[in-house]
Amino acid sequence: MSKKDTAKRIEIVSLRMVREKTSLLYPQRKISSPQDAAEIFRQFIGEFDRESFCILCLNTKNEPTALHQVSFGTLNASLVHPRETFKLAILANSASIIACHNHPSGEPTPSQEDIQLTERLRDTGTLIGIELLDHIVLGNGNFVSLKERGLM
């Protein structure tokens, strides 16, 4: 039997979401404004000295169900792809997500790359049925909501 005729082994795999031992307490229970989401992200990201891109997963009542760090980058960049962004959102049965990242420079004004990423995530979410509600940029105790700025 030649190598070409040998059988190919196919691995059987399973996928599951692992809940971390840490959690955040959110007394309001429901996200009703970009400010609400920014406060949650601020607790999670803090004042990192490198860019961190995260998502907050929400159910149909806009209640947070999961918080996930998608990417941890460098001083001024974080590699983000829709595949990794929505992976946890799918596992968490999310109806929608809010994305967030920090600008270690302290200036929360969205870059052109931030706007392009937001459009790509919005389009991907529409395709798979998980709505991107907002993309928030944190910096120097302030934040910018791309939705409020009309950039998504």
Side-chain angles (χ1 to χ4, degrees):
M1 192 185 234
S2 72
K3 185 172 180 154
K4 192 175 188 179
D5 295 331
T6 58
K8 167 74 174 130
R9 182 165 297 281
I10 301 170
E11 299 294 327
I12 298 172
V13 299
S14 65
L15 186 65
R16 70 181 105 179
M17 183 171 65
V18 177
R19 297 189 189 278
E20 300 291 335
K21 294 196 186 300
T22 59
S23 62
L24 296 175
L25 186 60
Y26 186 62
Q28 289 87 345
R29 297 196 51 87
K30 184 177 177 180
I31 300 293
S32 57
S33 71
Q35 175 72 35
D36 291 347
E39 289 305 317
I40 291 174
F41 284 118
R42 194 170 281 114
Q43 288 180 55
F44 187 62
I45 295 175
E47 297 295 325
F48 284 165
D49 62 346
R50 291 176 283 165
E51 278 201 17
S52 177
F53 182 87
C54 304
I55 61 166
L56 182 64
C57 298
L58 306 165
N59 64 18
T60 57
K61 298 177 183 175
N62 277 3
E63 296 171 334
T65 59
L67 185 57
H68 176 60
Q69 183 177 37
V70 175
S71 176
F72 194 65
T74 63
L75 177 64
N76 61 353
S78 184
L79 184 60
V80 179
H81 191 278
R83 176 182 51 245
E84 281 74 31
T85 301
F86 284 98
K87 189 183 299 182
L88 183 93
I90 291 168
L91 288 174
N93 293 321
S94 303
S96 58
I97 64 169
I98 298 173
C100 178
H101 76 281
N102 63 319
H103 280 176
S105 68
E107 176 52 53
T109 301
S111 67
Q112 191 58 42
E113 291 82 10
D114 295 340
I115 296 166
Q116 290 170 351
L117 172 63
T118 303
E119 292 169 352
R120 193 168 177 205
L121 293 176
R122 180 200 61 214
D123 293 346
T124 302
T126 298
L127 182 65
I128 64 173
I130 300 175
E131 183 181 3
L132 175 66
L133 297 180
D134 204 345
H135 183 173
I136 293 170
V137 183
L138 299 176
N140 273 352
N142 297 319
F143 75 94
V144 169
S145 159
L146 274 77
K147 185 171 188 167
E148 285 185 336
R149 292 259 177 112
L151 298 173
M152 58 176 292

